[in-house]
Amino acid sequence: MKLIRKTSEPQQGTTEQGGNMLFKLLPYWPMFAILFAVAIGCSWVYLKMTAPLYEASARIMINEKKGADELKSDAPMQITAPKKTIDNEREMIMSNPILYKVVENLSLYAPVYTKTALSKEIAYQNSPVQIVAKDPKSIKSSDPVEFTFAQSAVTIDGKKYPLNTWVNTPYGALMFMMNTKNKNLHSNGNFFFSLIPEKKAVANLGSRIKVTEANKLSTILSVTLMDEDPARAEDILNDVLKVYNDAAIDEQNKLAANTMDFINKRLSGVQSELLAIESNLQDYRSVQGAVDVGTQGKLYLENVSNNDQKVGEINMQLSVLDQVERSVRSNDLSNGVVPSTVGVNDPGLTQMVKNIYELQLNAESLKKTTGENNPMYVSYIDQIDKIKPQIVQNLRNQRASLEASRKNLSSTTSNYSSALQTMPEKERKVVDISRQQQIKSNIYTFLLQKKEETALSYISNGSGSKVVNNAESSEFPVSPKRKMIYLAALFGAGIIGLGFVTAKEGMRRNIMFQSDIEKLTALPVIAEISTDKANRAIVMGGQQRTLIAEQFRSLRTTLRYLGVSTTNKRVMVTSAISGEGKSFVASNLAITLAMTGKKVALLDFDLNNPTLHRKFNIKQSVGITEYLQGSITAEEAIIPSGQNSNLSLLLTGSLPDDPSELILSSKTEALLNYLDEKFDYIVVDVPPVGPVSDAYTLAQYCDATLYVVRHAYTPKAFVERIDENIKLNNLPNPAIIFNAVAPRGFGKNNYGYGYGSGTVYGGAYDQKRISIDSGK
């Protein structure tokens, strides 16, 4: 009869795997406790050394202009400005010109710190002074510079520097100013500051500022910043928004100033021309006498005046077009001043001028920080090169249209001039001069009106945005997250511990766990035998209540599942190689069976390397060898064990020269048949199956096979070949004994490599004999 293991269900398999893993890890709990303690300690040190970060946020509303809203204007004068969109303004807030200004305003290139036991803390509010560089762009990196403040002076390396005065230091021209954030006017002590290149400070600030849309339906931008000091975070954000708004107003004022300059130049020219005409008219009348203009002349002046006014407007528009073309062709808008389109009513031209102006500004800003090889810079230049021909073509079309209109008006004026020839000469001359005077007067009046409008724009110019919420910082730090740091550290410690255990116990080539056996062979493991610290050969006896004794009693019970009984009584004990403890198992199993009152015979059929006589402390005399050779009878080979009256031994006797051939004799079967009549159980200790084949020879005479596998000793390769060997040699009812299972882990108490709990009924296992109270 063979014992067949049942295949576990998937869910049961998963549960067993989890149990196996827990079983492997549990003995190493001291190591895990140490790892977790170290992880918590390292996390604590990390949190002490890492400056906490606070998050400040502010909101600004952008008056966004899109499409038709930008081009909708009835006024002949339009002050060109870049279009405002959410995406553009988001980039503008984070642009380098804005950040450079903020870094200089708040002296972020010279932070002041105080020292703590494990780290440094920003002293933005506690420092007695603020450090300002005369030329921030020339700052070079420096190591922390320690200074003290006392008696309204800063001392560095023993040298005192006064406040509010530019002083030359080894670190450049600096000014030490009272820190208005510090409410304690008598802050003394040791501080230190670091000098950071302005470019690096700007890059650092830009990496920490985030600008996002509040939601998709609004034009409100949320600006956030992470910083070590909540007050500094608020000041930085508020200054960013202030500089952004100021920059937008300055840009509007520059555009208005450009328009004003153009108008003033035109006014100066028209004024000179008007004065000259008025002087000419006055001189003519004084020489020729007072000459009045008749009804026909007044009608002529009225009609021609309208034509001349239109021609004047056309000439002005042509002049603007010439200025725009010169500016576009000059390829230079880097000064931030865009050509005015006053008087030009074509929204397409105005929009293209806006676009090229905006692209040029972005390209110049990018060029200053990244260089000409930056892909974004190259993209801006490509777009500018594509828009320029469109503007030039538009200017040509505009000019052609205006010149055609001017030609038509000139033709109409020519007809009126023909009518003028019919007037008297003096009256005709007065009308001609009056006509010129009226033309220039209308132009002068128009320009004065536009000048006033432009002047008013200085007052009305705004940034086009509104701060909704000023900066406010979080009450508690948002980084590092203490709970996450501790959890991550504990998780990492667990992974390290798991890796250590897996590497230690998984890389061994010998059998370490009962699960290793189950993976390599289909044979059932019917018993675990713990290692005996006292290294005793016989661990069984009537007074023994140790774990190992209970394990042999459990093995005795399990034998019936292999079909072992008083009828099928022959049990063969073998192993793969020498040293796995087969003789130890055979001896103590035989004693365990004898303790039940049954007659038991223990045979030492290891004719190559017998050991039973040493375990029972009996001197070799005659035995199985002599019986098989015919020198003695079976009865003469049987001797008492000295351990139990029900246990008899058949030792090897002398070592034969041909043990394998001797076992093949018919007397082997005869001996076993004889013992069947005398004993209830027969335990046969045979040689290992690896070195010799004697075990396979004797297998045909036995009813069950116990295959001993020793913990941390038996190579996995031998266990892997068990199934194949059984098929080839037909071992009867085989099962495995997992022997010498040692405690494991760091405590090495109660934890083994098998599945045993490490306890016996009535008390904890300590491998010591427990006296049994006879009264119980």
Side-chain angles (χ1 to χ4, degrees):
M1 184 179 94
K2 292 186 178 181
L3 189 64
I4 302 175
R5 293 183 302 163
K6 295 183 179 180
T7 304
S8 301
E9 296 295 330
Q11 184 175 1
Q12 293 175 343
T14 302
T15 305
E16 289 180 1
Q17 291 176 1
N20 292 345
M21 179 58 67
L22 180 62
F23 176 75
K24 288 182 179 181
L25 299 179
L26 192 58
Y28 293 88
W29 69 264
M31 179 193 71
F32 281 96
I34 293 173
L35 285 175
F36 290 148
V38 171
I40 292 175
C42 291
S43 300
W44 182 84
V45 172
Y46 170 78
L47 292 173
K48 285 294 183 181
M49 295 180 63
T50 303
L53 296 180
Y54 297 81
E55 184 178 63
S57 62
R59 289 193 170 192
I60 184 171
M61 183 174 63
I62 307 299
N63 294 329
E64 187 177 21
K65 295 181 179 180
K66 298 181 179 179
D69 293 338
E70 289 185 292
L71 305 178
K72 195 182 296 181
S73 176
D74 296 330
M77 184 184 73
Q78 300 175 23
I79 298 178
T80 308
K83 60 183 177 181
K84 276 186 177 294
T85 65
I86 292 295
D87 293 333
N88 286 346
E89 300 313 300
R90 181 192 296 116
E91 297 301 322
M92 285 297 297
I93 291 174
M94 300 176 60
S95 64
N96 281 349
I98 302 294
L99 300 184
Y100 270 100
K101 188 66 175 175
V102 173
V103 168
E104 292 178 4
N105 290 347
L106 299 178
S107 299
L108 299 182
Y109 48 76
V112 180
Y113 298 93
T114 57
K115 290 183 179 180
T116 61
L118 296 176
S119 63
K120 60 181 181 180
E121 292 182 357
I122 191 74
Y124 182 73
Q125 301 181 75
N126 301 327
S127 172
V129 296
Q130 179 183 0
I131 301 168
V132 181
K134 193 170 187 178
D135 184 10
K137 291 181 174 56
S138 65
I139 289 178
K140 296 181 180 180
S141 295
S142 69
D143 294 329
V145 180
E146 188 171 356
F147 71 93
T148 57
F149 177 78
Q151 299 177 356
S152 299
V154 173
T155 303
I156 301 176
D157 296 332
K159 186 175 181 179
K160 291 188 176 182
Y161 298 95
L163 298 181
N164 304 320
T165 302
W166 291 113
V167 293
N168 292 322
T169 70
Y171 315 100
L174 304 177
M175 178 186 292
F176 300 97
M177 304 171 59
M178 291 298 298
N179 183 12
T180 57
K181 297 292 180 182
N182 187 359
K183 304 304 181 183
N184 183 8
L185 300 179
H186 302 286
S187 294
N188 297 324
N190 295 331
F191 300 87
F192 67 94
F193 67 89
S194 299
L195 292 179
I196 306 171
E198 190 177 36
K199 185 175 181 180
K200 185 177 180 180
V202 168
N204 176 267
L205 178 59
S207 66
R208 293 185 288 125
I209 289 183
K210 306 296 180 186
V211 183
T212 57
E213 295 182 40
N215 59 68
K216 296 296 182 182
L217 300 179
S218 71
T219 60
I220 294 178
L221 293 177
S222 178
V223 188
T224 58
L225 170 70
M226 304 270 282
D227 195 72
E228 300 173 26
D229 190 285
R232 188 173 74 163
E234 293 178 359
D235 290 346
I236 291 174
L237 282 189
N238 288 332
D239 200 55
V240 165
L241 298 184
K242 180 180 180 299
V243 172
Y244 163 74
N245 285 331
D246 291 345
I249 294 174
D250 289 343
E251 182 180 340
Q252 294 286 343
N253 289 338
K254 283 183 180 180
L255 296 175
N258 181 38
T259 302
M260 182 68 78
D261 182 63
F262 173 78
I263 292 175
N264 286 333
K265 290 180 180 179
R266 291 288 297 156
L267 275 173
S268 178
V270 172
Q271 185 179 18
S272 300
E273 294 174 0
L274 183 58
L275 291 175
I277 292 172
E278 290 177 349
S279 177
N280 187 21
L281 178 60
Q282 184 178 358
D283 292 343
Y284 182 78
R285 282 183 170 177
S286 63
V287 174
Q288 300 296 331
V291 178
D292 293 329
V293 180
T295 303
Q296 185 178 4
K298 290 180 180 180
L299 181 61
Y300 166 79
L301 286 176
E302 183 179 349
N303 292 327
V304 171
S305 176
N306 292 331
N307 281 358
D308 288 340
Q309 182 178 356
K310 293 177 181 179
V311 171
E313 293 176 0
I314 290 174
N315 289 333
M316 182 177 176
Q317 292 183 45
L318 288 172
S319 176
V320 171
L321 295 180
D322 291 339
Q323 183 186 23
V324 171
E325 184 172 6
R326 285 194 303 272
S327 178
V328 170
R329 290 187 181 276
S330 68
N331 195 27
D332 183 18
L333 289 175
S334 59
N335 58 0
V337 179
V338 68
S340 174
T341 57
V342 58
V344 178
N345 298 326
D346 181 13
L349 175 62
T350 302
Q351 184 60 51
M352 284 190 288
V353 172
K354 286 182 179 181
N355 291 341
I356 195 172
Y357 168 68
E358 184 178 348
L359 289 170
Q360 186 70 41
L361 287 181
N362 291 337
E364 291 298 328
S365 175
L366 198 61
K367 179 180 178 182
K368 292 177 181 177
T369 56
T370 63
E372 296 182 356
N373 295 326
N374 185 278
M376 287 296 296
Y377 176 79
V378 175
S379 174
Y380 286 145
I381 297 300
D382 289 342
Q383 293 181 58
I384 291 171
D385 292 339
K386 290 179 181 179
I387 295 176
K388 277 186 178 180
Q390 299 177 22
I391 294 178
V392 172
Q393 184 61 41
N394 184 285
L395 292 172
R396 290 175 183 172
N397 295 338
Q398 290 272 354
R399 187 177 289 107
S401 176
L402 291 173
E403 289 177 349
S405 298
R406 186 173 63 179
K407 184 177 181 181
N408 291 335
L409 291 173
S410 298
S411 176
T412 303
T413 303
S414 178
N415 293 334
Y416 287 124
S417 298
S418 299
L420 183 62
Q421 300 299 324
T422 61
M423 296 181 184
E425 182 178 356
K426 290 183 179 181
E427 184 179 356
R428 186 171 67 247
K429 186 66 175 178
V430 172
V431 168
D432 185 50
I433 296 174
S434 298
R435 170 195 169 193
Q436 296 178 22
Q437 180 188 22
Q438 191 171 4
I439 291 172
K440 297 301 180 183
S441 178
N442 289 338
I443 293 175
Y444 189 76
T445 302
F446 173 77
L447 291 174
L448 284 176
Q449 177 186 352
K450 297 310 172 186
K451 181 178 179 180
E452 289 302 317
E453 291 177 0
T454 305
L456 289 174
S457 70
Y458 277 105
I459 301 174
S460 62
N461 275 345
S463 63
S465 59
K466 177 183 179 182
V467 176
V468 178
N469 291 332
N470 287 320
E472 291 184 3
S473 61
S474 57
E475 182 178 358
F476 302 102
V478 297
S479 177
K481 299 183 182 297
R482 301 179 65 87
K483 291 183 179 179
M484 292 299 297
I485 295 296
Y486 282 117
L487 288 176
L490 292 175
F491 179 77
I495 292 297
I496 292 174
L498 180 63
F500 173 80
V501 174
T502 303
K504 178 184 177 183
E505 300 190 349
M507 295 177 64
R508 296 181 180 178
R509 296 181 179 179
N510 298 336
I511 296 295
M512 298 301 300
F513 295 94
Q514 181 173 323
S515 58
D516 293 339
I517 302 174
E518 294 172 348
K519 291 176 183 177
L520 297 173
T521 178
L523 296 186
V525 179
I526 63 171
E528 290 179 13
I529 306 300
S530 299
T531 186
D532 183 40
K533 292 182 179 180
N535 199 24
R536 296 170 296 174
I538 303 299
V539 296
M540 293 302 300
Q543 301 298 315
Q544 295 290 338
R545 283 294 308 278
T546 62
L547 173 62
I548 193 170
E550 293 302 320
Q551 289 171 331
F552 273 106
R553 290 186 177 96
S554 176
L555 173 59
R556 179 183 64 195
T557 305
T558 309
L559 288 179
R560 63 182 178 180
Y561 294 105
L562 297 178
V564 177
S565 64
T566 55
T567 303
N568 298 319
K569 59 184 68 175
R570 303 174 186 176
V571 179
M572 182 178 72
V573 182
T574 186
S575 63
I577 56 177
S578 178
E580 293 181 279
K582 63 178 182 57
S583 298
F584 169 78
V585 171
S587 302
N588 288 280
L589 175 61
I591 295 175
T592 305
L593 293 171
M595 288 170 61
T596 63
K598 302 293 183 180
K599 294 292 183 179
V600 181
L602 175 60
L603 285 65
D604 191 350
F605 252 102
D606 190 349
L607 304 184
N608 295 278
N609 184 26
T611 58
L612 285 183
H613 63 285
R614 287 195 294 268
K615 297 187 182 303
F616 286 90
N617 198 21
I618 298 176
K619 186 177 180 180
Q620 283 274 23
S621 56
V622 295
I624 294 176
T625 299
E626 284 74 17
Y627 170 78
L628 295 178
Q629 293 174 344
S631 302
I632 61 173
T633 63
E635 185 68 27
E636 293 174 333
I638 300 173
I639 62 174
S641 65
Q643 294 289 332
N644 189 291
S645 59
N646 293 325
L647 176 63
S648 299
L649 302 179
L650 281 80
L651 300 180
T652 303
S654 61
L655 299 180
D657 296 331
D658 52 350
S660 297
E661 287 74 14
L662 198 60
I663 292 175
L664 286 172
S665 70
S666 60
K667 294 183 71 65
T668 299
E669 185 177 6
L671 175 62
L672 293 174
N673 290 336
Y674 173 80
L675 296 176
D676 280 344
E677 298 176 359
K678 298 287 185 181
F679 295 95
D680 297 311
Y681 294 101
I682 300 173
V683 180
V684 184
D685 180 13
V686 300
V689 298
V692 294
S693 61
D694 295 354
Y696 298 127
T697 302
L698 292 168
Q700 59 184 315
Y701 306 123
C702 297
D703 301 308
T705 303
L706 298 182
Y707 198 101
V708 178
V709 173
R710 183 167 184 169
H711 161 257
Y713 184 85
T714 305
K716 293 181 180 179
F718 284 94
V719 178
E720 194 173 9
R721 291 199 294 264
I722 290 178
D723 293 350
E724 183 179 354
N725 292 337
I726 289 175
K727 290 180 182 179
L728 294 176
N729 298 282
N730 194 26
L731 294 177
N733 293 329
I736 291 177
I737 307 296
F738 193 21
N739 185 36
V741 179
R744 52 189 283 269
F746 289 90
K748 296 193 183 256
N749 289 323
N750 302 335
Y751 301 105
Y753 286 85
Y755 292 139
S757 65
T759 58
V760 296
Y761 181 73
Y765 161 53
D766 58 2
Q767 286 289 18
K768 296 180 180 179
R769 177 175 174 174
I770 303 174
S771 298
I772 301 176
D773 188 347
S774 59
K776 292 184 181 180

